[in-house]
Amino acid sequence: MANFIALCVSGLPHDLIQNAILYYDGKKEQKSFKNTLRAALYESIQPGIFLRDIKALPASRVDGLQVADMLAGFIRNDPHSIRSVMIKVIQYPD
């Protein structure tokens, strides 16, 4: 999971992730995943890009995490439709 997240983040525009905080759905006490994610991000993000922090928060407290959970649930429940049709969720400006 950490490698997948790192792959997704590495494809984002640099100015979007520069000095950003990455929030994920989880508990603060789960340090092992946070450390694994930090290591995966360090390997995948280009030199010169600084990610300020990685924080675990419960999705019930953050709307954006709730949306991410819904999209992940959609993919998990219907993987065939994702593979057969290109779906663009967000288009970043160039």
Side-chain angles (χ1 to χ4, degrees):
M1 183 60 70
N3 288 330
F4 175 72
I5 293 169
L7 177 67
C8 292
V9 170
S10 69
L12 295 173
H14 297 166
D15 58 338
L16 188 64
I17 56 177
Q18 182 68 16
N19 203 31
I21 299 173
L22 174 66
Y23 295 100
Y24 67 92
D25 185 10
K27 297 179 182 178
K28 292 179 185 178
E29 298 82 24
Q30 297 169 324
K31 302 258 187 223
S32 62
F33 178 73
K34 182 177 180 177
N35 292 336
T36 302
L37 179 57
R38 186 182 307 276
L41 287 165
Y42 178 78
E43 291 179 14
S44 67
I45 294 177
Q46 293 184 2
I49 302 297
F50 174 71
L51 193 61
R52 186 173 1 147
D53 203 358
I54 301 169
K55 294 184 178 186
L57 293 172
S60 60
R61 289 183 42 206
V62 181
D63 291 341
L65 290 177
Q66 291 178 8
V67 172
D69 282 352
M70 287 187 288
L71 291 172
F74 170 70
I75 292 168
R76 183 176 178 204
N77 289 329
D78 194 4
H80 177 72
S81 68
I82 298 300
R83 290 188 187 110
S84 64
V85 178
M86 293 294 284
I87 298 175
K88 185 176 251 181
V89 177
I90 294 176
Q91 179 173 345
Y92 292 102
D94 293 336

